Amino acid sequence: MNFLEQVIALSREIHATVPSIQTPELLEEFRLRHLVRKGTIQALVESLRTVPAEEKPVAGKELNALKQYAEEAYSQLKQNLDDNKADVVPVDITLPARNAERGHLHVITQTMDEITRIFASLGFTVEEGPEIEDDYHNFEALNFPPDHPARDMQDTFHINDPAGKYLLRTHTSPVQVRVMERQKPPIRCIVPGRVYRNEAISARSYSIFHQIEGLAIDEGINFSELQGTLFSFAKQFYGAEGVVRFRPSFFPFTEPSAEMDVTCYLCGGKGCRVCKGSGWLEILGCGMVHPKVLANAGIDPERYTGYAFGMGIERTAMLKYGIDDIRILYENDLRVLRQF
Ligand code: PHE
């Protein structure tokens, strides 16, 4: 290889390398190979002295051009790499993406939906009624006479209206009356909703809570149908092992009245802290709709009979999930909400 050929060979190498220099390390390699005092270009410059005189002008010109190119390429690349420092930080495209956080339904809503689905599968429709209710529907039509001590069971928030007639409903039972007023039997409905009671707030009671009411009115409905329906519900909601029992009770708007218990989910009936040693958990009130209530709502009690039941959602959810303080359901602490 004569001198000119050596210059051309080096020029090819340098031109081929420059476009692939994309990191500071490669650029430094380039500098050390070509641009330092002991590098390829300087070596050729030094051997230029030995080139025959007639070749010198052409070869020297080529070599100079190469030197200039290599130096400019170096400073240009250095400039680019300095400018784009952020871009050369390697990006790991295999890292999992950051998840956008999605909300979900509150455990009370989930429980209410689950109970609603079970009764819907048994043929019940879903009804609603107002949360600001009048005294008539909340109490009087349900056979609570004015000043009757049964009203004490439900400490009421009254509205400051001139007629003194409105209140926050203390249960979902007024919707029984509203449904019977607007619909002829057969009726089979449930009423999920929010209710209010002026209770001292504690681990067991809160001033706001939710209930699901059930109502069935038709010819020939008897207490066994009530028991069968609730038994079927309990089996689906609490699981097949859940045994239920009915205890006599009192509500002004049902006769006879009962409360239904299920075997304690925690101890399986042996008795524990949750069931206070009894082995049973109270879950709902129920009974045959009182003939006076049917008559108040314009339904003939001689022809029709029916049953009603009502259960608290918070209580049901607390028993199902082992929550021991009702207040945490209303604090909206994400650490709690995310668990359900
Ligand atoms: N409304 C009653 C309560 O809140 C529950 C109930 C509903 C009882 C329907 C009997 C029938 O305590």
Side-chain angles (χ1 to χ4, degrees):
M1 248 201 274
N2 67 25
F3 185 82
L4 188 58
E5 284 166 347
Q6 288 179 44
V7 174
I8 290 169
L10 183 60
S11 170
R12 285 219 181 93
E13 184 197 325
I14 288 177
H15 278 89
T17 317
V18 165
S20 65
I21 299 176
Q22 275 160 19
T23 64
E25 291 76 20
L26 289 173
L27 184 62
E28 182 61 2
E29 225 171 78
F30 178 83
R31 188 183 72 87
L32 292 175
R33 176 159 165 71
H34 302 296
L35 299 178
V36 293
R37 206 154 48 78
K38 291 203 169 124
T40 55
I41 291 172
Q42 194 54 34
L44 285 175
V45 170
E46 269 155 36
S47 60
L48 189 61
R49 282 184 278 119
T50 64
V51 173
E54 66 276 17
E55 290 175 24
K56 247 185 202 166
V58 179
K61 205 174 151 214
E62 281 302 316
L63 183 56
N64 249 333
L66 177 59
K67 191 176 170 195
Q68 206 181 333
Y69 170 76
E71 281 167 356
E72 273 170 17
Y74 174 79
S75 57
Q76 186 64 54
L77 284 166
K78 186 155 169 45
Q79 180 79 50
N80 289 353
L81 287 173
D82 287 350
D83 285 354
N84 300 331
K85 276 224 171 82
D87 288 355
V88 289
V89 173
V91 175
D92 183 353
I93 58 167
T94 68
L95 280 176
R98 226 171 279 155
N99 276 336
E101 213 173 322
R102 289 178 70 194
H104 67 275
L105 296 176
H106 192 279
V107 59
I108 293 174
T109 312
Q110 286 181 41
T111 308
M112 207 144 65
D113 286 356
E114 193 182 344
I115 296 172
T116 302
R117 260 197 306 279
I118 293 173
F119 282 106
S121 78
L122 296 173
F124 285 70
T125 61
V126 178
E127 301 287 343
E128 286 187 328
E131 290 177 23
I132 297 177
E133 191 46 285
D134 52 38
D135 185 275
Y136 175 77
H137 288 93
N138 197 79
F139 289 124
E140 213 171 314
L142 289 168
N143 202 28
F144 290 83
D147 305 320
H148 191 281
R151 291 190 179 207
D152 283 353
M153 284 161 73
Q154 305 186 349
D155 284 324
T156 310
F157 285 115
H158 291 274
I159 306 272
N160 266 338
D161 61 305
K165 177 169 118 157
Y166 292 102
L167 44 81
L168 296 180
R169 67 178 179 193
T170 57
H171 51 177
T172 42
S173 300
V175 189
Q176 285 184 33
V177 181
R178 291 186 176 276
V179 170
M180 289 190 281
E181 282 169 349
R182 65 179 177 235
Q183 206 179 308
K184 291 269 140 294
I187 295 169
R188 269 185 185 74
C189 69
I190 54 159
V191 185
R194 185 173 272 206
V195 302
Y196 303 83
R197 285 189 203 177
N198 189 7
E199 309 240 24
I201 291 174
S202 72
R204 307 194 122 250
S205 53
Y206 203 72
S207 48
I208 299 172
F209 57 102
H210 296 75
Q211 289 187 330
I212 286 194
E213 189 85 9
L215 177 71
I217 310 284
D218 203 353
E219 286 178 53
I221 289 192
N222 56 23
F223 198 84
S224 336
E225 182 179 330
L226 165 63
Q227 286 184 302
T229 304
L230 292 179
F231 185 57
S232 169
F233 157 73
K235 242 173 43 188
Q236 288 186 62
F237 189 75
Y238 290 98
E241 335 72 52
V243 178
V244 305
R245 74 173 183 188
F246 289 83
R247 278 177 296 108
S249 185
F250 172 81
F251 302 101
F253 41 95
T254 48
E255 180 59 36
S257 303
E259 274 171 68
M260 187 173 90
D261 302 343
V262 288
T263 321
C264 175
Y265 72 92
L266 198 66
C267 62
K270 288 200 244 7
C272 69
R273 188 181 54 87
V274 170
C275 57
K276 296 200 216 89
S278 73
W280 295 97
L281 299 169
E282 294 174 29
I283 58 160
L284 56 80
C286 61
M288 300 306 290
V289 180
H290 198 291
K292 272 196 186 162
V293 175
L294 292 173
N296 285 342
I299 289 181
D300 178 5
E302 296 295 326
R303 179 164 170 209
Y304 293 106
T305 52
Y307 60 81
F309 56 86
M311 68 186 97
I313 305 300
E314 279 77 357
R315 191 176 159 67
T316 309
M318 287 166 74
L319 294 176
K320 185 156 174 156
Y321 297 110
I323 301 168
D324 59 9
D325 190 326
I326 192 171
R327 292 168 291 196
I328 68 165
L329 295 174
Y330 286 92
E331 280 167 358
N332 284 334
D333 186 328
L334 287 176
R335 291 169 303 178
V336 172
L337 299 182
R338 285 196 179 115
Q339 294 178 46
F340 305 100

